[in-house]
Amino acid sequence: MADPADALTSTREGTVLLLDVNSKAKADRFPAGYNEWRHAIGCSITTPPVEGKANRAIVALLSRTLTIPQSGISILSGATSSQKRVLIQGMTFEQLAGFLRERCPR
């Protein structure tokens, strides 16, 4: 059975989350499912990917949803791609894995 925790990697700096982003969606949503082939968590945002606006919207959405400061979230790679690696500081691997397991449809 697919486990959303497969989208996570624990590091010394925090937990790295693999995101599969859908921009220009009808509504902001995180998590928006789990892609078991890419081992990535879905993230939908209404903001278009223009001049970094979508990346800022992703950080804001994750901050609101995970209830951690925006300063604890940074995009490590994929700034111009729909697939992103995001560093989450302020939540342990176990906390983020539990959150995703509760909220990701499998």
Side-chain angles (χ1 to χ4, degrees):
M1 178 179 255
D3 185 356
D6 290 343
L8 304 175
T9 305
S10 183
T11 70
R12 284 196 283 187
E13 293 80 28
T15 304
V16 176
L17 168 65
L18 298 179
L19 282 184
D20 196 5
V21 178
N22 175 27
S23 60
K24 297 193 276 184
K26 292 183 179 187
D28 290 341
R29 186 170 162 219
F30 172 80
Y34 172 64
N35 183 326
E36 62 184 278
W37 293 279
R38 289 186 176 170
H39 299 287
I41 302 299
C43 179
S44 298
I45 54 168
T46 57
T47 308
V50 177
E51 299 174 358
K53 290 179 183 177
N55 289 333
R56 289 190 295 275
I58 291 165
V59 169
L61 174 61
L62 293 176
S63 173
R64 280 192 313 271
T65 305
L66 300 174
T67 62
I68 59 174
Q70 288 188 28
S71 61
I73 301 169
S74 53
I75 297 175
L76 299 176
S77 65
T80 60
S81 171
S82 64
Q83 296 177 22
K84 302 185 185 301
R85 291 178 62 243
V86 180
L87 177 64
I88 308 293
Q89 298 172 308
M91 287 184 86
T92 66
F93 177 95
E94 293 79 17
Q95 289 170 323
L96 192 50
F99 174 89
L100 294 173
R101 286 178 182 134
E102 287 176 10
R103 290 168 178 83
C104 278
R106 296 188 206 182

